[in-house]
Amino acid sequence: MIVRTEEEWQGLREIGAIVAHVRDALIAQVREGITTLELDQLGAELLAKHGAESAPIKMYDFPGHTCISVNETVAHGIPGDRVLQAGDIVNVDVSAYKNGFYADTGATTVVQPDSSPIKQRLIECAALAVDVSIKKARAGAKLNSIGAAVYRETRKRGFYIVQNLTGHGIGRSLHEEPEHIVSYYDPDDTTLLEDGQVIALESFVSTGAEQVSQGDDGWALQTDDGSFVAQFEHTVVVTKDKAVILTLGGQLD
């Protein structure tokens, strides 16, 4: 999607603010003893309160309003009766639709108390990775230059990129062109970002795994080697000067 009107800006800002609000509310409730279903139910309530629909349900009939992924499950985790334990790495991914527009966002945290410093360093690196991609995303930039920068900063800190999970275009649909925005250098991808283009930038940073595979439930994407993984994601609009982040967060009325 290319944003061309003030009405489109307003619609994207609204749904961006909603998913960010839900993301932050769920992350704040991550604690020992709560179930992933209880987190998802809160997400459902907040989406409904603000007049938004769950994008995974609307687009794919996903069995949950949000994706809650824990430990070996890296993405597309189905909310259920899993009880969170101290030290669990938890990813909350929220995507939603309202008035013709979609936005997508995610964040990762660790259930406290946790005595493993590598998990916190991993989360900090994943947050840095998406920040690096946002700073590189401007009109005229090559997509592969973004991936190269993210990969370089990640490896510098001793971590790895999960290469078969990527960012994507978004706006009028949950997934649009470009279909894949990778977090490593792809010499064959010389796609240039356009002024007004709407994209979801995300990086999955790992302690070892560079690939994930689908779990038995047909949805969850998992590591096979026990690697820890963290992800952050923002929906942005590319401009000539910088990327405008639609999913920063904050309070809604």
Side-chain angles (χ1 to χ4, degrees), residues 18 24 26 42 45-46 48 70-71 80-81 83 94 96 114 126 129 151 158 185 187 196 202 214:
I18 290 170
D24 292 347
L26 268 59
L42 173 60
E45 293 169 6
L46 291 173
V70 183
N71 291 341
D81 58 5
V83 179
V94 182
D114 174 61
Y151 186 85
Y185 180 66
E202 58 183 320
Q214 192 170 73

Side-chain angles (χ1 to χ4, degrees), residues 163-177:
Q163 297 187 11
N164 60 334
L165 291 174
T166 72
H168 52 90
I170 192 171
R172 289 291 188 178
S173 181
L174 181 59
H175 294 98
E176 299 183 4
E177 294 294 329

